[in-house]
Structures are given as C-alpha cells and as structure tokens.
C-alpha cells in the first residue's frame, strides 16, 4: 500500500540520505526552497536502490553515531563512483571522508553551536561568494586528514578540515550544518552545491507543481468519475481544487460529518468551500457509525485505525448514494482523492524505513480491503508548500490560511474513551478557546491550538464554595512551519486567563485549565 513519493512526480529528486539526523527534514526543505525537488530516504537503502531512484544529486545528512562506533551506518564507497554529485554534511561528510581514504579522529575538540569558520578558498563551486563567517556546528568527531584528490576549503579552531571538495568527481563535504538558519550563508552553500556543483536548474515552483499534477491527475483518472474527501481544511481544499482543474465536474466532494467535529464546522465547509469553488458537495451524516465503532476504545492507535477504516466505509456508502442519485447505476466510482501530505506519510511510517510515530487516519489507518484507487496530488509536499499551491490556484485566504484540524478530529483530543457527553463538553471548551484566540487577533500567529480533554484524569477543585471533582482541559497552542517540529506559543497571560476563566465557568465538568509547554520533539502536537 505504500507508494513512494517519487512515484508522484517526474522530477529527478535530490535524495537526502538520512543517517538519523535531527535535520534531515530541514535539508529537504532548504533544497526545495532553492526550487529543486527533494526527498528523504533512509540510510538502509543500498547504493543500487538509491541509484534506481535516478537522483539528480545526493546529500548525506548528519547523524548521532560516531563513524567508528559498532553498528554505525557505513557510507559506502561505491556511492561516490556513480558519477552522481554528492554533498556530505557532518556525519555524512565524515563518512564520505573515511570511505574515500581520509582520516576521522576523536580529537577531543568538540564544537557545538555558533563557530568562527575560516574560508581557505572561494575558487570552487561550493564556497563561491562565501567568506569567513559563523557556522553552526554540532560534532565530536573531526576529519583529521582529507582524502587524496580532495582540496581543503575551510577550517575552524576545532576542525582544521571543515570543508572539502573534489571538483572533478563533484564530491563535496562540510563539517557544519548549512541547513540551519543559524549558519550564516548556509542557503547560499546549498544552492552553490545544487546549481554550480550539480548543475541543477531552479525550476521546481508552485506553478510547475500545479501544471504537473493537473497533467498526472488527468492521466490517472481519464474520463472516470471521482470523489474527494473534503474536510474544510487546507489540504483537501487544495487537492479538490487541483482535481477540479484537471477533470472539472467529474468530481464530487464528500464531507463526512463523523460527530467528532468542532462547533460550526459542518456549516462552515458548505459555506466557504462551495462558495469559493462551486464544486459539487455531498454531505455524509455518519455520527452514529463512528460513535458506535469507537465505543469503549481508549488506546490512541486503535482509535486512529478505527477512524481510518470508518472513513473509508463512509466514502463507500457515499459513493453508492451519489451513483444512485445520478441514476447511473452500475458505473461505480473507482477513484478517491485525499489531501495527504508528506508529513502524514513520514509520521505514519510510510516513508521507507521511518518509524511509525502515529497512524494518520488517511495513511496508516487505511483498511486492507480498500476498494478505491487513491489520488493524492499533495503527497510529496509540506504544508507551507500546499498553502502556496492553494494561493496559486486562487483559493481565498480564509481557506489557505486556515489552521489545521486533524481528520480524526476531537476523537484524538479526548484522552480516554469517547462518549457523546465528553464530545459535547470538549466542543464547548474548544469553541471558547478559539473564539478568544480570534478576538485577541492571534489566529495568524498560532499554527494550531488543540484543546484536549483529559477524560481519565480528575482533580479536586472548589467551585461555589463546594467541592468539585472535575476534568482538566489542556491548551496546546503551537507555532510551526510544517508540523514536523513545533514550539509552544507564548500566548499573552491575560488571554490565557480569560480562556481559563471562561472554560471553568461555562463548561460543566471542567474545574482546571492547563497549558502545555512542550516543544515537538519531544511532544507531538496532538496528545494522541
Ligand atoms: N470530515 C472529513 N470528511 C471527508 N474527508 C476528510 C474529513 N477529514 C479529513 N478528510 C480527508 O483526510 C485528509 C487528511 O486530513 P487532514 O486534516 O490532514 O487535511 P485537511 O483537513 O484537508 O487539512 P488540514 O490539515 O489543514 O486540516 C483530508 O485532506 C481529506 O481528504
Ligand atoms: O488528517 C490528519 N489525520 C491524522 O490522523 C492526524 N494526526 C495528526 N494530525 C495533524 O498533523 C499535524 C502533526 O501532528 P502531530 O504532531 O500530533 O503528529 C498536526 O497539525 C495535527 O493536527 C493529523 N491530521
Ligand atoms: N551532527 C552530526 O552529524 C554529528 C556527527 C558525529 N556524531 C559527531 O559527533 O561528530
Ligand atoms: Mg483537517
């Protein structure tokens, strides 16, 4: 069932080989910012498997291991003999140096954070226009001797060999992390590698994504009919708009009201999306189906799998109803469009070799007996890229700027069993928190603010001079660029006070409001 993102685009990718780096995502993003298509792959792929992806260039990421440690990932020598341009970063640089016959040593000179970097030569593709600067380091090992045939391009106090090049073979390495914003000129170095070193063109833009995806969708769907799961969120709105552009009224959007929605959500989908695009919309009222299937379940992964399965069952029902309505019996609808993004795939463990963090309902939660062929035009994109595509397609700012809301909805924001009373309670608390955030004019600054009910926790309070024994509500406002990493938002205290005060006064059963001050990692954005 896993489709590699590469299957979704004709671009030759720049492969980021992940050696367990904290920054592999960031490297891929920076390459895309340079308008070059990029994908992350695990280091467990063999050279043959890597080359089979027809990469335009390869970037080896950093990683936590020491190249000497037992079981440390080996950077294979044959990778450098295939004629593909390679840039090694930190661990990748050390591994490349070792593979090519250089030396790596534990000199005891560790460097963490901002580091004065001396550029020894600008007469090479990598460091053209880059002068002495502060780069961001995070290493304990160092390259003590460059491999034969490589020129040393830069040095620092702790790393005399801080950058190397073999121009003829198009092989480059840097000890520091050009992908982090704290590395001055880092983006320039990556672009130098891509444009000057690997000779790539900056032609991967939102315009080119739209054209290419529209073309692919037409090819895939032909003149068949297609349904699209539409949630009111950004991703499905953009996916639907792309499909509509490709195949026009062969498309019917299906909005599933699973009873796990927030206040006013169903109405808002009908109002905003249909008004903006004129697409056909079928509303499936499936509250009972989902509540029955979820009764008595409190394990998060089980909930996610049930929701993923019931979503598909709801789409199947909807498909039958749509066909019956059109009186075109017999002609079943084969295609289902979903607004699946790259992070959904990566976190669900759908990227090759990546860990399963949580099964997103639309990826890891899909049932085995799926009858639809999936159409997922956004499967290779990050959220901010999807927003840019949406804007390009002319969707209104209220849609492309909307805060994300997960498909499983309030179902994964009740820690414990889901009941209609608990949903009712959480819906009220969530509506208050959202209204206050909007009133404070902070919607644009906050990426998302899950409001979570700890249904299995109770604490003692005093309300109206009497004892109460109620549930806590957690506020989880975060800032983020692409939901892969996040920080907790420093909301003004008076806003937090107002939300807390209103929730404890207005929502029966809640006697405490707490603020989640955890970044991602280690926490995820949602609690389940
Ligand atoms: N209530 C729903 N009805 C129909 N399809 C849905 C519903 N909720 C989610 N989906 C499908 O699952 C996909 C993934 O959901 P997800 O929440 O990640 O995206 P989104 O809602 O489109 O955007 P956002 O992340 O901004 O909320 C959606 O793109 C959509 O295809
Ligand atoms: O459609 C979705 N189906 C899911 O199963 C799902 N789980 C998490 N999310 C959203 O993904 C982003 C990252 O969330 P986490 O940090 O909790 O993994 C956040 O924006 C979450 O709201 C989901 N969206
Ligand atoms: N960030 C990295 O890639 C670190 C590489 C290696 N673990 C070191 O400490 O030198
Ligand atoms: Mg959503």
């Amino acid at each position: 069932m896993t489709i590699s993102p590469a299957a979704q685009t004709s671009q030759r990718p720049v492969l980021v080989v992940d050696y367990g780096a904290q920054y592999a995502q960031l490297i891929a993003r920076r390459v895309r910012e340079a308008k070059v298509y990029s994908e992350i792959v695990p280091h467990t792929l063999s050279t043959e498997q890597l080359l089979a992806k027809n990469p335009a260039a390869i970037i080896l990421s950093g990683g936590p291991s020491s190249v000497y440690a037992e079981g440390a990932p080996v950077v294979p020598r044959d990778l450098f003999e295939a004629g593909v341009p390679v840039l090694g970063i930190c661990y990748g640089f050390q591994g490349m140096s070792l593979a090519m016959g250089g030396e790596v040593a534990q000199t005891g000179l560790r460097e963490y954070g901002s580091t004065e970097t001396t550029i020894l030569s600008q007469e090479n593709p990598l460091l053209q226009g880059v002068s002495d600067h502060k780069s961001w380091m995070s290493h304990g090992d160092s390259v003590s001797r460059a491999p034969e045939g490589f020129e040393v391009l830069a040095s620092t106090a702790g790393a005399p060999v801080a950058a190397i090049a073999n121009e003829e073979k198009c092989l480059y390495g840097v000890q520091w992390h050009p992908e982090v914003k704290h590395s001055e000129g880092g983006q320039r170095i990556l672009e130098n590698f891509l444009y000057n070193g690997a000779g790539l063109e900056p032609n991967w833009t939102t315009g080119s994504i739209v054209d290419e995806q529209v073309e692919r969708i037409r090819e895939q769907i032909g003149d068949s009919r297609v349904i699209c799961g539409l949630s009111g969120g950004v991703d499905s709105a953009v996916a639907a708009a792309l499909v509509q552009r490709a195949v026009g009224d062969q498309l019917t959007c299906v909005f599933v009201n699973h009873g796990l929605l927030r206040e006013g959500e169903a109405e808002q989908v009908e109002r905003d999306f249909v008004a903006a695009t004129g697409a056909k919309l079928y509303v499936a009222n499936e509250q009972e189906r989902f509540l029955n299937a979820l009764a008595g379940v409190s394990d998060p992964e089980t909930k996610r799998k049930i929701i993923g399965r019931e979503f598909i069952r709801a789409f199947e029902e909807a498909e039958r109803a749509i066909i019956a309505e059109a009186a075109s019996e017999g002609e079943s609808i084969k295609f289902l469009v979903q607004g699946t993004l790259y992070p959904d795939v990566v976190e669900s463990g759908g990227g090759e070799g990546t860990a399963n963090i949580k099964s997103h309902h639309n990826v890891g939660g899909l049932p085995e007996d799926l009858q639809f062929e999936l159409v997922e035009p956004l499967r290779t994109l990050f959220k901010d890229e999807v927003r840019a595509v949406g804007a390009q397609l002319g969707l209104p700012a209220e849609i492309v700027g909307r805060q994300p809301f997960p498909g499983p909805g309030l179902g994964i924001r009740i820690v414990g069993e889901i009941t209609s009373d608990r949903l009712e309670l959480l819906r009220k608390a969530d509506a208050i928190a959202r209204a206050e955030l909007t009133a404070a004019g902070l919607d644009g600054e906050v990426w998302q603010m899950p409001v979570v009910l700890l249904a299995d926790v109770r604490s003692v309070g005093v309300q109206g001079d009497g004892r109460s024994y109620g549930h806590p509500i957690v506020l989880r406002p975060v800032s983020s660029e692409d939901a892969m990493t996040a920080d907790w938002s420093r909301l003004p205290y008076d806003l937090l006070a107002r939300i807390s005060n209103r929730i404890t006064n207005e929502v029966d059963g809640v006697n405490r409001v707490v603020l989640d001050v955890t970044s991602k990692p280690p926490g995820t954005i949602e609690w389940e």
Side-chain angles (χ1 to χ4, degrees):
M1 184 49 243
T2 47
I3 310 166
S4 137
Q8 313 270 319
T9 166
S10 65
Q11 298 263 348
R12 284 180 71 197
V14 169
L15 296 180
V16 176
V17 182
D18 184 0
Y19 286 95
Q22 292 174 57
Y23 302 134
Q25 297 287 340
L26 213 47
I27 301 171
R29 286 186 54 89
R30 298 288 173 246
V31 173
R32 287 163 172 229
E33 278 170 28
K35 300 189 170 56
V36 173
Y37 180 65
S38 160
E39 270 176 37
I40 302 161
V41 290
H43 66 79
T44 45
L45 295 194
S46 65
T47 299
E48 202 181 0
Q49 287 170 311
L50 285 177
L51 296 177
K53 291 174 175 289
N54 192 20
I58 293 176
I59 299 181
L60 310 175
S61 82
S65 311
S66 172
V67 284
Y68 298 120
E70 208 177 313
V74 176
V75 180
R77 184 175 175 115
D78 56 3
L79 193 57
F80 307 106
E81 282 157 2
V84 179
V86 183
L87 170 66
I89 294 176
C90 203
Y91 185 85
F93 160 60
Q94 297 164 357
M96 168 194 257
S97 300
L98 204 60
M100 297 304 283
E103 268 171 26
V104 180
Q106 254 153 6
T107 58
L109 297 171
R110 297 157 183 233
E111 289 173 305
Y112 297 108
S114 188
T115 307
E116 287 298 344
T117 306
T118 308
I119 302 300
L120 305 173
S121 161
Q122 293 188 3
E123 304 299 307
N124 60 85
L126 192 69
L127 298 182
Q128 259 174 38
V130 179
S131 37
D132 292 358
H133 66 283
K134 288 196 172 64
S135 70
W136 190 265
M137 290 279 199
S138 178
H139 71 117
D141 301 345
S142 301
V143 175
S144 49
R145 185 172 57 75
E148 214 166 296
F150 282 74
E151 183 192 356
V152 180
L153 308 181
S155 68
T156 65
V161 181
I164 58 171
N166 181 328
E167 237 179 276
E168 193 193 330
K169 294 201 162 109
C170 219
L171 303 176
Y172 300 90
V174 283
Q175 180 58 65
W176 66 90
H177 291 274
E179 70 276 19
V180 306
K181 286 272 167 176
H182 303 282
S183 274
E184 289 168 13
Q187 184 67 14
R188 170 79 193 251
I189 293 171
L190 289 175
E191 291 181 2
N192 277 349
F193 168 68
L194 297 167
Y195 307 154
N196 305 342
L200 302 178
E201 297 282 335
N203 57 10
W204 192 73
T205 60
T206 47
S208 68
I209 300 171
V210 170
D211 292 344
E212 173 168 359
Q213 289 306 330
V214 164
E215 195 51 43
R216 281 179 170 263
I217 293 165
R218 283 195 187 126
E219 245 169 58
Q220 188 182 0
I221 298 179
D223 55 8
S224 306
R225 293 186 61 192
V226 48
I227 56 174
C228 173
L230 187 80
S231 65
V234 185
D235 314 335
S236 52
V238 174
L242 271 173
V243 174
Q244 202 191 13
R245 178 167 290 195
V247 299
D249 64 5
Q250 286 160 241
L251 169 69
T252 306
C253 295
V254 177
F255 170 65
V256 178
N257 183 345
H258 48 23
L260 309 170
L261 299 169
R262 295 169 295 180
E263 212 170 87
E265 201 137 36
E267 297 76 13
Q268 170 238 306
V269 171
E270 302 194 23
R271 198 178 54 227
D272 291 0
F273 185 77
V274 177
T277 64
K280 283 182 276 189
L281 181 68
Y282 177 86
V283 178
N285 283 307
E286 295 281 13
Q287 293 92 322
E288 251 175 64
R289 168 198 297 282
F290 281 84
L291 278 188
N292 289 341
L294 287 165
V297 178
S298 52
D299 173 65
E301 273 299 287
T302 313
K303 281 184 188 173
R304 285 173 169 277
K305 298 238 156 90
I306 292 173
I307 293 171
R309 184 190 70 211
E310 294 308 320
F311 254 116
I312 296 297
R313 298 288 101 93
F315 289 135
E316 289 164 359
E317 284 290 330
E319 184 246 10
R320 284 191 279 275
I322 291 165
I323 289 174
E325 233 169 60
S328 55
E329 212 82 49
E331 229 187 277
S332 64
I333 300 177
K334 196 168 105 200
F335 297 100
L336 170 66
V337 183
Q338 297 200 115
T340 304
L341 303 194
Y342 198 30
D344 303 352
V345 179
V346 174
E347 297 212 329
S348 296
E352 292 147 273
T354 48
N356 174 251
I357 306 297
K358 50 180 76 174
S359 303
H360 284 238
H361 74 281
N362 47 323
V363 186
L366 292 171
E368 290 288 330
D369 60 344
L370 186 69
Q371 73 166 50
F372 297 107
E373 187 177 317
L374 294 178
V375 181
E376 300 185 313
L378 310 176
R379 202 180 160 92
T380 61
L381 304 185
F382 291 104
K383 188 75 156 205
D384 48 335
E385 295 167 339
V386 170
R387 291 200 161 117
V389 170
Q392 172 92 18
L393 286 166
L395 288 176
E398 311 85 78
I399 293 185
V400 292
R402 182 162 293 161
Q403 293 177 1
F405 181 63
L410 303 182
I412 53 165
R413 292 185 178 171
I414 293 176
V415 178
E417 287 174 29
I418 300 164
T419 65
S420 31
D421 290 348
R422 289 171 171 183
L423 282 167
E424 197 49 42
L425 183 158
L426 178 55
R427 214 171 265 132
K428 277 194 193 138
D430 173 80
I432 292 170
R434 281 195 294 146
E436 290 296 338
L437 188 70
T438 305
L442 292 175
D443 282 341
E445 269 164 56
V446 173
W447 163 272
Q448 188 178 14
M449 181 164 73
V451 175
V452 179
L453 170 64
L454 302 187
D456 286 346
V457 177
R458 295 178 108 191
S459 74
V460 176
V462 50
Q463 284 171 302
D465 277 348
R467 170 193 160 102
S468 67
Y469 194 44
H471 297 291
I473 283 282
V474 180
L475 304 177
R476 173 76 169 132
V478 292
S479 60
S480 179
E481 216 174 338
D482 53 25
M484 293 303 303
T485 55
D487 196 7
W488 58 281
S489 304
R490 274 55 166 180
L491 293 185
Y493 281 169
D494 54 350
L495 168 62
L496 292 170
R498 225 165 23 247
I499 295 175
S500 163
N501 191 268
R502 279 196 59 195
I503 291 180
T504 47
N505 281 329
E506 295 174 37
V507 184
D508 273 350
V510 177
N511 62 353
R512 225 174 260 274
V513 173
V514 303
L515 179 67
D516 184 343
V517 291
T518 319
S519 59
K520 172 185 179 175
T524 55
I525 296 176
E526 304 289 348
W527 272 49
E528 292 201 321

